Amino acid sequence: MASVLAAGFALPVPARAAMARAEAMQLYAAGGFPISANGDHPTNRCGAAASPRITFVDMNADGRKEALFIDAGPCYKPDGRWYAIATQAPDGRWRRILEGQGTVATTGTAFGGWFVLSTTSGGRTGQLRFDGTVYRPAETVTAGAPPRPQAAPRGPVTGDAAIFAAAGFRQVHGRWESGCNDGNDDGATYEPGRIDQRRDLNGDGHPDAVIVEGGLFCYGNTGAAFWIVAGQANGGWKLMANEVGIPDFKAARGVGGWPDIEVGGPGFCFPVIRWNGTVYARNRLEYDGKPCKPPR
């Protein structure tokens, strides 16, 4: 195991090309392991600290490797083990395509160009096939079945759709989703993405947007995540930050006039991130405007 290091932020992931902090956090969230409120470790479905092992493997020979998560602990009953797989879109965003209790392995065969998988949980085994969007029980994905339809592009993406697209969201049944909730059969706590704020955050004369999304399945006890999307001079949009937590914009500013952001959540000591000209990186820890130290 190696670490993804980005401006003071460390997460345990297998050695691969170094990831930016925002991508590492989005990868863990997509795998079902949202980062804790203080930003230093993944959490499992029970809200406890987790240390999932991540292996990168190309599941469909397209040249892009999927992320296989394996975790163990008392949270997962009856087997004590949990697995998940996330795939990366061309735009770099990660999306969960499988998760479950027990163990998972390849069968040595393929369907539709994707590995067929074998799962075991509670003494029962089964096979899974990729249906074009997610893995499902093999008997429900028949030969010749077409992939689930994807919306075809119809000209330039504009308006709110362009803002959500820049943040990596997609429209599902009329609502905007990041993909973190994929595979969750109980969506009672899920809150789809919405634009919470529209204002010029850095004083450059161009509007910016803050997107928020919520749900215990996606973000554990913190229950929320946010995306900062900057308006560009050419009318386009650029993703600046993606964090698990609640944003609180501070008076202090980083490069280019971008405000420091306190990433709030449960507890009494929160990270404050600052734009360094390349990424929003952790700058300090604060509570109620004063320096603090997280509990150990």
Side-chain angles (χ1 to χ4, degrees):
M1 300 288 282
S3 292
V4 168
L5 298 176
F9 179 78
L11 285 177
V13 301
R16 202 189 74 154
M19 287 183 185
R21 181 173 187 250
E23 183 187 354
M25 294 187 73
Q26 199 268 322
L27 168 62
Y28 274 91
F33 296 91
I35 304 305
S36 63
N38 61 14
D40 64 359
H41 63 263
T43 57
N44 61 23
R45 295 171 64 86
C46 298
S51 299
R53 176 169 57 87
I54 306 177
T55 303
F56 292 97
V57 58
D58 189 349
M59 302 283 291
N60 62 350
D62 67 350
R64 293 196 302 269
K65 293 184 177 181
E66 278 64 49
L68 169 63
F69 292 76
I70 300 293
D71 195 31
C75 177
Y76 312 121
K77 298 178 180 179
D79 304 288
R81 292 177 63 85
W82 184 265
Y83 58 82
I85 298 176
T87 189
Q88 191 172 32
D91 66 2
R93 300 288 296 177
W94 291 91
R95 178 178 67 86
R96 187 159 62 251
I97 57 175
L98 173 67
E99 65 177 353
Q101 299 265 16
T103 60
V104 63
T106 62
T107 63
T109 60
F111 177 87
W114 287 75
F115 289 153
V116 176
L117 303 178
S118 173
T119 63
T120 302
S121 178
R124 297 183 178 181
T125 62
Q127 287 195 356
L128 302 173
R129 290 176 174 174
F130 191 69
D131 71 354
T133 302
V134 296
Y135 270 97
R136 293 194 291 122
E139 61 270 18
T140 68
V141 185
T142 59
R148 296 183 182 180
Q150 302 292 318
R154 299 181 179 180
V157 179
T158 60
D160 288 357
I163 297 174
F164 282 108
F169 279 66
R170 69 189 191 282
Q171 201 165 34
V172 180
H173 302 306
R175 64 187 191 181
W176 291 100
E177 299 185 0
S178 70
C180 75
N181 201 51
D182 291 353
N184 181 17
D185 294 330
D186 178 13
T189 68
Y190 177 67
E191 298 177 7
R194 61 182 173 84
I195 298 176
D196 183 61
Q197 299 183 45
R198 303 172 191 261
R199 58 190 176 102
D200 184 359
L201 290 169
N202 66 332
D204 66 353
H206 304 298
D208 307 305
V210 181
I211 298 172
V212 297
E213 183 183 47
L216 296 177
F217 179 81
C218 293
Y219 306 116
N221 290 339
T222 303
F226 66 90
W227 290 253
I228 308 297
V229 185
Q232 305 295 292
N234 63 2
W237 297 89
K238 175 185 176 182
L239 179 63
M240 302 292 290
N242 171 210
E243 301 283 342
V244 175
I246 301 169
D248 180 11
F249 296 97
K250 317 302 286 186
R253 294 180 178 268
V255 174
W258 285 97
D260 291 2
I261 307 172
E262 181 179 288
V263 183
F268 301 95
C269 191
F270 307 121
V272 177
I273 57 178
R274 171 173 290 179
W275 181 252
N276 63 15
T278 303
V279 297
Y280 259 103
R282 181 182 291 191
N283 179 261
R284 59 192 184 276
L285 294 169
E286 284 188 358
Y287 181 72
D288 199 20
K290 299 178 181 178
C292 62
K293 293 183 178 181
R296 294 186 179 276

